[in-house]
Amino acid sequence: MILTEQAAALVKPDFNIREIKNACDKLVFCTLFDSNYLDKGIVLYKSMNKRMKNFKLYIFALDNKCFEILYAMNLDNVVVVSVECIMTNRLRQIKGERTRAEFCWTCTAATIEYVLLTYKEKMCTYLDADIYFFADPSAVIDEIIEKNCSVGLVQHGFERDYEYARHILHVGKYCIQFNTFLNNEEGLYILREWKKNCLDWCYHRFEDDKFGDQKYPDKWKYKYNCVHDYQNLGAGVAPWNLHLYSYKGKKNGTIWMEYRHNQFPLIFYHFEGMKYLANHNIFLNLWKWTKLGTGKKVKLFYGEYVRELERTRKYLKKYHNIEFKHMIADEHVNPIKRYSCKSFCVENGVIGGICLWIGFKKNNILNVKNIQDM
């Protein structure tokens, strides 16, 4: 069943919040990516399969190659959906006008809506393809039910320093990485509002208090009383805030972190901005890499993630003849050149610059050949 935009607008939700509460034993997710992100998307799935007991993942394949490979893999608990299922005349036009990333952002709300209406799921959580689960997220999603809310959002978690206001102003309070919508009247109303906003404007630039698909949710908390900020600190650890959290050790295979004397299990990490470079190097995109303990966290988080990526890439090359050489960062965006020792010294003085550069090379650049030792 493929719903047009007009038909979807007429479909009423099948569930009220009481029914959803009584039947939330299965975690339902959706994500979207094309063949350029196949390795990351499959690794996302592997982490879910490893850490979750009962889940279903709807993957929206944005090109034919991606769809064919995922369909052939026949992954457990996965439903592969072609992007054609959500395509309307409006989206076809937008696809030709926006970049690949902007088109993906534009489609996010539409994919969630399609899962709720077509597959009659009681709730659905959108996932960015470059996140990786280190523990079961059930405790996070349970919050939305306990609070009688219909939408759940994860904050960016930026450091409250002198740049905090600028970050919020430009990219928003919330990160579109783990967003839950219930299949009820409130959830669908806000979802459709977001969908319309993204169809009208969704670009990779800050303009008129908008940035991609991320700034729109900032207004929801003020307009609606059914929107919940997820409070679980283990959801949303990322390169921009990793330095705020201390590693406390492992308990029963789960990584435990600490923030302001509060200890919590790491649920998922968002590997945003990670780029493969030449000479088997990987840029990790950490915002602050010199804080004591960063190396240990890099070893734990990025070590496991990159090992899974490398295994997945080898599988895709062997069985599907897929390689990712074209995804190596171009020379003009190579961060090793941009973050040179000279540039650090110019901005921070010779001694400070050299210390920053050494820390950058040690903690923000990872060599694939060294991951077996991590």
Side-chain angles (χ1 to χ4, degrees), residues 3 21 26 33 42 69 73 75 101 104 112 172 196 200 204 226 236 263 294 302 323 328 343 359:
L3 297 176
K21 278 185 178 181
K26 179 181 68 176
F33 51 86
I42 292 172
I69 291 174
M73 290 180 71
L75 300 170
C104 289
I112 304 169
K196 181 182 184 304
D200 291 341
H204 190 201
C226 62
Q263 294 191 13
T294 298
Y302 286 87
E323 294 190 86
I328 294 176
S343 66

Side-chain angles (χ1 to χ4, degrees), residues 285-308:
N285 194 37
L286 302 181
W287 282 28
K288 295 186 179 181
W289 53 83
T290 57
K291 187 173 179 179
L292 188 66
T294 298
K296 180 66 174 180
K297 290 178 283 188
V298 166
K299 177 180 179 179
L300 282 169
F301 306 167
Y302 286 87
E304 179 173 338
Y305 186 64
V306 173
R307 282 193 293 271
E308 288 290 356

Side-chain angles (χ1 to χ4, degrees), residues 184-236:
N184 61 9
E185 186 174 357
E186 294 173 330
L188 287 177
Y189 184 88
I190 296 173
L191 181 59
R192 285 166 176 160
E193 176 186 299
W194 187 32
K195 176 184 173 182
K196 181 182 184 304
N197 290 153
C198 292
L199 288 171
D200 291 341
W201 193 99
C202 190
Y203 297 95
H204 190 201
R205 62 176 183 266
F206 175 72
E207 180 181 306
D208 296 331
D209 200 31
K210 299 189 292 287
F211 180 86
D213 57 350
Q214 289 202 157
K215 290 279 288 179
Y216 297 116
D218 283 7
K219 301 179 176 65
W220 297 349
K221 287 282 286 188
Y222 303 103
K223 295 171 63 177
Y224 311 110
N225 60 8
C226 62
V227 178
H228 174 64
D229 286 14
Y230 284 128
Q231 299 299 302
N232 193 309
L233 293 173

Side-chain angles (χ1 to χ4, degrees), residues 90-157:
R90 181 78 181 280
L91 273 175
R92 293 185 195 284
Q93 178 185 350
I94 287 172
K95 187 176 182 180
E97 297 172 347
R98 299 179 187 176
T99 66
R100 182 188 291 118
E102 291 167 347
F103 177 69
C104 289
W105 299 341
T106 303
C107 289
T108 300
T111 61
I112 304 169
E113 182 188 50
Y114 189 84
V115 170
L116 295 177
L117 298 183
T118 304
Y119 295 99
K120 309 298 183 185
E121 297 289 0
K122 294 178 177 63
M123 67 171 68
C124 182
T125 300
Y126 166 78
L127 304 174
D128 258 359
D130 55 355
I131 74 173
Y132 184 88
F133 286 94
F134 289 89
D136 190 307
S138 298
V140 182
I141 297 175
D142 284 347
E143 290 183 27
I144 195 175
I145 301 299
E146 294 167 359
K147 297 295 184 179
N148 287 319
C149 288
S150 300
V151 177
L153 302 172
V154 174
Q155 295 188 29
H156 270 109

